[in-house]
Amino acid sequence: MYDLSGKVAIVTGASRPKGIGRATALRLAREGADVVIADYGRPGGFADHPDYEHLGRSDEMDAVVSEIEALGRRSVAIAVDVTQRAEVEAMVATTVAELGRVDILVNNAGVGLGGPLIDYPEESWDRTLAVNAKGPFLCAQAAARVMIEQGDGGRIVTTASQAGKTGFPNLGAYTASKFAVVGMTQVLGLELAPHRINVNCVCPGTVDTDLMAPGIAMMAALHGSDEAKARELMAARIPLGRLETGDDVANLIVWLCSDQGGYLTGQALNVTGGQEMH
Amino acid sequence: MSMYELDGKVAIVTGCAREQGIGRATANRLAAEGCKVVLTDVGRRPDLNPDYVVGSLDELDEAAAEVSERGGTATAIVADVTDPASVQNLVDQSVEAFGGVDILVNVAGVGMGAPFLEMPLDVWNHVIAVNTTGPMLCAQAAAKQMVEQGRGGRIVTVASQASKIGGTNRPRPVDAPPATEEELLVGRGGGGGVYAVSKAAAMMLTRMLAFELAPHQVTVNAVCPGFVDTQLLMGGFEMRAEEMGVSMEEWLPNFVKNTIPLGRMQTGDDVADLIAFLCSDQASYMTGQSINTTGGTELHSG
């Protein structure tokens, strides 16, 4: 559909089977790009949240790499904690060493740690802001430096959320982190425009991924129903009448990475089935 | 260049006649994607301002011929988007010509204005009629057809960065004498807020229609272009350069450098790229949006 042949893309948070990142990585490869599958890729949760279970595993990363290679594109798995500058810089350096350059960065890695703010643990706030806001900043900084040196532009797309436009109860830290990346995107869009690096974010709605699982379970409990019924109830709240898929989001991300999105920068585009219009 | 396989879809594009315009670029792009395209324009200057240049009927025919010459399927139908009967006729004739309506792109618009304190009511009414009521009437007639067909549809309205940020013209200086009738007639009085009002209304129309038409899988979105190199904008720019006492050759590169982050004027094709995406299956989960394509001049989402 678009011609991304010869381009090298890094997608963070790229390995969960139902995730936005994997869908995006596969789409970028189908459009011709070589793709780095970056994800947490180490056993256990975070030191401060040892039970957190939605992190990309190394076997999942390898599986996506194989899928991309089967499409005839090059792919490398890189384990990275996006909150650590040294690891992020190593990710970009490895990308350049293995695949030659960096043209596209998709900041997709993110965590969701719910709970009302009044009792919200400080370490959960810090963890959420670190992964969802600082992570995209560190990755953008490292990748943009390479793009500027290459001298022929680039694309940075961050997965924000409809929670980056409107606050959601029980998702205070998540909401704050997503507002933060929308703001960062505006500034980075302006600052990198002279280098022809377009910086945008996408704001998905109710995507049926692992991150949504607690929300669906909560909905089921609230209505005393099973998860299938909870999904139906959630879909009924969405104007277009169905839950979102990773592919719905990937469609927009890939468009922004293509020449077709060349005159957009600094934007936060909703892809929510009509749930969010701001 | 077909990216989106829109083969056989029928698209109506209003405001297609002007050579450099967004409408003509969109008509060409949708035809290249496989759509059968109905090109529309009004072909008649507004009664209240006979000096205001609109796309002529000759230009409209040229535009349709251009689409056909490039291998597309096109027909030209004259319509006044402010007149319900004319709009209904446009939809009826489109159905007759090509068998249905799948896509409506509301491009037709005017850029008149006047300082608020002296705003003639007929200028206000005309701008609202073309830029707000026009998209409403076209959407209503086209959506009825889409709902009846039962296979979904796409409506895209060209709003503006003015929908988000407001006035795009300078206020009249405090020490300037009141605008003369002649200045008001040709939109030289400064001000011009009615354009922003009409485009903001088109944005909200987009949201409300998106809610109402979502159950029918008709998505409704708006695009908000920035400084597009069209005859409509260049007319205004020439006035600004003249007021500053410099030539356009001197004024324009400075303006671009100081105003547009991505460093170049926008083309109709830039806007058509976004419109084509929104008309495709790729954007089937997006509705109610007003998307800036401005090279970074406008960052507000809504």
Side-chain angles (χ1 to χ4, degrees):
Chain A
M1 194 170 285
Y2 314 114
D3 184 11
L4 299 179
S5 52
K7 307 276 187 199
V8 174
I10 298 172
V11 183
T12 69
S15 70
R16 299 317 304 276
K18 287 165 75 183
I20 295 167
R22 175 176 168 272
T24 301
L26 290 170
R27 248 320 276 288
L28 288 169
R30 285 198 193 96
E31 303 299 335
D34 296 327
V35 187
V36 168
I37 303 304
D39 216 320
Y40 196 63
R42 64 203 78 184
F46 301 111
D48 44 44
H49 291 80
D51 297 333
Y52 190 77
E53 56 183 16
H54 304 302
L55 296 164
R57 302 192 312 257
S58 63
D59 60 314
E60 291 174 325
M61 294 165 68
D62 292 341
V64 183
V65 167
S66 300
E67 284 183 272
I68 289 175
E69 286 173 345
L71 293 167
R73 306 311 324 167
R74 296 184 297 165
S75 184
V76 181
I78 301 178
V80 63
D81 177 344
V82 296
T83 70
Q84 302 301 312
R85 175 183 289 282
E87 291 195 32
V88 168
E89 285 174 354
M91 169 184 79
V92 171
T94 305
T95 303
V96 173
E98 300 271 330
L99 300 177
R101 48 188 292 121
V102 180
D103 302 284
I104 293 165
L105 166 69
V106 180
N107 278 316
N108 179 70
V111 294
L113 294 163
L117 283 176
I118 190 73
D119 299 317
Y120 200 69
E122 186 179 346
E123 60 269 26
S124 296
W125 176 275
D126 288 345
R127 172 54 56 189
T128 303
L129 270 290
V131 177
N132 294 4
K134 184 179 172 184
F137 158 67
L138 291 175
C139 292
Q141 204 177 43
R145 284 177 181 155
V146 174
M147 291 174 189
I148 288 169
E149 202 180 299
Q150 290 168 177
D152 50 2
R155 295 280 195 274
I156 297 172
V157 181
T158 301
T159 304
S161 167
Q162 61 182 342
K165 301 287 183 73
T166 300
F168 282 76
N170 295 317
L171 286 175
Y174 186 82
T175 297
S177 71
K178 296 302 186 180
F179 268 74
V181 292
V182 170
M184 181 193 80
T185 296
Q186 293 194 353
V187 174
L188 213 47
L190 297 176
E191 290 186 351
L192 297 180
H195 301 285
R196 299 289 182 275
I197 299 168
N198 301 53
V199 187
N200 294 290
C201 50
V202 298
C203 299
T206 312
V207 189
D208 198 355
T209 62
D210 295 338
L211 270 194
M212 267 312 293
I216 289 168
M218 197 189 296
M219 188 77 147
L222 202 66
H223 293 271
S225 64
D226 59 17
E227 292 199 354
K229 183 70 188 163
R231 282 196 169 81
E232 262 176 49
L233 289 167
M234 288 177 110
R237 291 180 178 178
I238 300 167
L240 283 175
R242 65 172 174 89
L243 295 184
E244 187 163 10
T245 66
D247 284 328
D248 288 320
V249 189
N251 287 342
L252 178 58
I253 293 175
V254 173
W255 184 82
L256 286 167
C257 292
S258 77
D259 286 349
Q260 294 292 301
Y263 208 68
L264 275 75
T265 199
Q267 305 303 313
L269 303 183
N270 305 318
V271 49
T272 63
Q275 273 191 301
E276 176 57 65
M277 296 189 182
H278 295 96
Chain B
M1 176 183 63
S2 178
M3 282 180 188
Y4 300 125
E5 294 166 15
L6 301 179
D7 298 353
K9 304 266 187 208
V10 179
I12 297 174
V13 185
T14 71
C16 274
R18 304 307 297 276
E19 196 180 343
Q20 286 165 258
I22 296 168
R24 197 187 279 210
T26 301
N28 273 301
R29 179 60 195 272
L30 291 178
E33 297 292 345
C35 291
K36 298 171 192 165
V37 184
V38 177
L39 292 91
T40 310
D41 215 309
V42 64
R44 190 169 60 84
R45 295 186 181 205
D47 298 335
L48 83 160
N49 182 356
D51 291 332
Y52 189 85
V53 181
V54 300
S56 70
L57 293 184
D58 285 345
E59 285 176 303
L60 178 61
D61 287 338
E62 274 168 36
E66 185 181 296
V67 173
S68 302
E69 278 158 24
R70 296 182 185 184
T73 304
T75 189
I77 298 175
V78 181
D80 178 350
V81 297
T82 69
D83 172 6
S86 178
V87 168
Q88 190 57 53
N89 177 59
L90 165 68
V91 170
D92 291 345
Q93 282 197 47
S94 301
V95 173
E96 200 168 303
F98 294 139
V101 177
D102 301 286
I103 293 166
L104 166 69
V105 186
N106 287 309
V107 185
V110 291
M112 287 177 203
F116 176 70
L117 296 180
E118 293 146 278
M119 174 76 73
L121 184 58
D122 54 356
V123 169
W124 176 275
N125 285 340
H126 183 69
V127 174
I128 298 288
V130 177
N131 294 1
T132 308
T133 311
M136 185 277 285
L137 291 173
C138 292
Q140 197 177 41
K144 277 182 188 164
Q145 176 66 27
M146 292 173 189
V147 168
E148 195 185 305
Q149 289 166 188
R151 55 174 191 256
R154 294 281 189 273
I155 297 173
V156 180
T157 297
V158 176
S160 167
Q161 61 182 345
S163 305
K164 309 282 180 75
I165 199 69
T168 55
N169 216 335
R170 296 90 47 242
R172 194 168 179 83
V174 176
D175 54 0
T180 65
E181 205 163 302
E182 196 191 3
E183 281 179 315
L184 289 179
L185 194 64
V186 297
R188 279 194 183 222
V194 64
Y195 180 81
V197 172
S198 71
K199 292 295 189 179
M203 177 170 81
M204 190 52 80
L205 174 72
T206 297
R207 290 183 186 171
M208 299 325 295
L209 285 181
F211 282 123
E212 291 208 26
L213 297 178
H216 302 284
Q217 298 300 314
V218 175
T219 69
V220 188
N221 293 289
V223 300
C224 299
F227 297 104
V228 188
D229 190 355
T230 58
Q231 285 115 319
L232 188 147
L233 180 69
M234 284 304 154
F237 275 11
E238 273 160 23
M239 280 183 221
R240 287 205 208 178
E242 197 184 304
E243 281 169 19
M244 311 262 301
V246 296
S247 69
M248 268 290 269
E249 290 69 32
E250 207 175 331
W251 184 84
L252 188 59
N254 259 319
F255 172 83
V256 169
K257 192 172 134 225
N258 295 325
T259 312
I260 306 176
L262 282 176
R264 65 172 175 87
M265 287 293 291
Q266 187 163 19
T267 65
D269 286 331
D270 290 322
V271 189
D273 286 343
L274 177 56
I275 293 173
F277 171 74
L278 290 170
C279 291
S280 78
D281 284 348
Q282 291 292 301
S284 62
Y285 207 69
M286 297 175 73
T287 195
Q289 306 305 309
S290 304
I291 301 176
N292 303 322
T293 169
T294 62
T297 57
E298 175 55 61
L299 303 177
H300 297 92
S301 301

